[in-house]
Structure formats: C-alpha cells, structure tokens
Amino acid sequence: MKDAKVRLYVEHPLGEGQTIPLERDQAHYLFGVMRLGVGDAVALFNGRDGEWRCGVVEAGKRKGVLVCEAQTKPLQMPPDLWLIFAPIKKARTDFIVEKAAEMGAARIMPVQTDFTNSERIRQDRLQAHAVEAAEQCGGTFVPEVADLQKLDRVLADWPEGRQLMFCDEAEVGSAARLGAASGDQWAILIGPEGGFSPDERARLKSLPFAHVVSLGPRILRADTAAVAAMTIWQQALGDWG
C-alpha cells in the first residue's frame, strides 16, 4: 500500500477494518485539494486510538470513505501538564495554543486576570488550532482547550495534588526555582501583557502549591513566555529527558 502523505484528525473510532465516513470538508480537502483518490493512503488519528494508516475506498467531491488497515503509532499521552494563560491579541493567542499542543500540554486553559485585555475567546476556533497543531507535528493526542474562566475561580477550585509553576515577570533576573520541585501533576501560569496585579501576585505567592519561577534576565512577551516556561518545565520534570 502507498505511504500516507496526508495526516488528518477525525472524531470517529479507529481500529483494524474500521470504516471511516468523511465529512464534507474533509472529503473536499483530501480529494479536491490534495488530489487523493481510491487506493491512496491517509494517516488518521482521533486523540484516543493512536495513528492508523487508512485506505481510500470511496472518493467524491462531497463525501468519501476510508478503511483502517494498520496502526502506525500508538497513542502517546503527554505529561499531566496544564498551560494556563491570559488571552492576548488574536494571532498571538493562536500561537500560544498551537505551541502548547506541539510541546506537550495535556490541557490549555485561557483565564481572565485583573489586567487581561480580552474578555472573550472563540473556544471552538482555539480547539481547531490545537487539532491542526497535532496534525502537523505528528502528535496522537489533542489537548482540550477550555473556555475562558476567571483566574480567581480557577485558583479557588484548584485540585489537590497539582503543583503550579507561576511565571512572575517581577522575578526577572533571579534564578529559576524549579529544580527541587517534584510531582506528576502540574500547571504553568502565564500572565497578561500588563502583568499580574499586586493582589494577584500576593495571592499566588501565598499558595502552598505555587512555585515562583523567573524566565530569565529579560521581560518576555506572553507568547514567548509560554514557550520558554514549557521548555523549562519539560526539561526539568517532563518527558524530554
């Protein structure tokens, strides 16, 4: 069978011999844009069953059918890491979601802080960006993108046993303090462009599960800070080692 040159996320269960009916947009992409036809291979994943090589058995402009033939990758779960961030400008929020999905976040949580400029998000659009990132980077898991919540509510409902890496721009120039930390359940918190308010900073520093971390000698943009923070955490406690 031909090698799969296209990789696609589907909601349908995957398994040997499983028939996959395509939605209209998927059929248009595979057969209208990518010019695939009967007998060609497509790599499918659904975030649960790993990646499967599937053959095209029906190809039309508005519909199509694939059949699963062999699993090519098992499901690879990321570490139990949440990325919590304050939404910023549209394109840069998209960037944060895409990079979080690529770098191994298990859950992505936009939050509204005292200085957050954005009061609403398009959760469905951000979830689609997470799917696209997984399609492009070869991942088999797609993190959930939660709807926008207030930071104080997230902290009030904090689950027992989960540690928090609090990236505080006020700590610029000090050494990162994550080396002695441990645990399997974590979250990273990135603030808004205006930083955290004094009340938020005081509350975060008082939390027994919070670990204040500096991201180096320079103040970073929020999207850059998200990538830097995930890199620090993955190297210290994640699955990069």
Side-chain angles (χ1 to χ4, degrees):
M1 185 177 179
K2 298 177 182 178
D3 291 335
K5 296 181 180 179
V6 179
R7 195 165 187 272
L8 195 64
Y9 173 84
V10 295
E11 297 284 353
H12 204 281
L14 301 174
E16 187 172 358
Q18 181 73 56
T19 298
I20 313 297
L22 296 174
E23 299 175 357
R24 179 172 178 173
D25 289 347
Q26 293 171 330
H28 171 71
Y29 173 69
L30 292 180
F31 311 133
V33 178
M34 300 307 296
R35 303 295 183 184
L36 300 185
V38 172
D40 286 327
V42 180
L44 298 185
F45 72 105
N46 60 7
R48 304 182 302 276
D49 301 318
E51 179 189 88
W52 286 76
R53 186 184 64 202
C54 302
V56 179
V57 295
E58 293 183 25
K61 291 182 179 179
R62 299 181 180 179
K63 62 181 180 179
V65 177
L66 309 179
V67 174
C68 292
E69 301 201 355
Q71 189 181 56
T72 49
K73 290 182 183 178
L75 175 63
Q76 182 181 14
M77 293 294 293
D80 190 354
L81 174 67
W82 299 353
L83 177 67
I84 306 174
F85 73 100
I88 47 179
K89 294 178 181 178
K90 180 180 175 182
R92 289 166 60 192
T93 293
D94 295 346
F95 176 88
I96 290 174
V97 170
E98 291 165 1
K99 298 312 167 189
E102 289 179 28
M103 297 180 71
R107 193 167 187 233
I108 302 170
M109 300 173 62
V111 293
Q112 188 171 8
T113 68
D114 289 346
F115 296 158
T116 300
N117 292 326
S118 177
E119 296 183 354
R120 61 178 60 89
I121 62 166
R122 279 282 305 278
Q123 186 272 342
D124 58 339
R125 185 175 61 81
L126 293 179
Q127 186 67 64
H129 279 292
V131 168
E132 290 170 5
E135 287 177 340
Q136 293 297 318
C137 73
T140 55
F141 175 84
V142 178
E144 173 199 3
V145 181
D147 208 351
L148 185 67
Q149 306 172 66
K150 290 186 178 296
L151 176 61
D152 58 1
R153 174 57 62 88
V154 171
L155 295 176
D157 296 336
W158 196 260
E160 184 178 355
R162 185 170 297 275
Q163 304 296 305
L164 176 64
M165 176 176 160
F166 163 40
C167 303
D168 184 4
E169 74 280 357
E171 297 290 322
V172 164
S174 63
R177 293 191 290 271
L178 193 60
S182 61
D184 296 327
Q185 298 179 321
W186 275 82
I188 294 171
L189 174 60
I190 302 294
E193 291 178 310
F196 292 102
S197 71
D199 287 346
E200 288 172 333
R201 184 174 287 109
R203 181 181 183 188
L204 286 161
K205 287 187 174 183
S206 72
L207 297 173
F209 53 81
H211 304 258
V212 182
V213 173
S214 166
L215 297 180
R218 288 166 288 276
I219 294 178
L220 304 178
R221 293 194 337 178
D223 47 346
T224 308
V227 174
M230 289 198 66
T231 300
I232 290 171
W233 188 90
Q234 283 282 25
Q235 289 181 331
L237 298 167
D239 59 4
W240 287 15

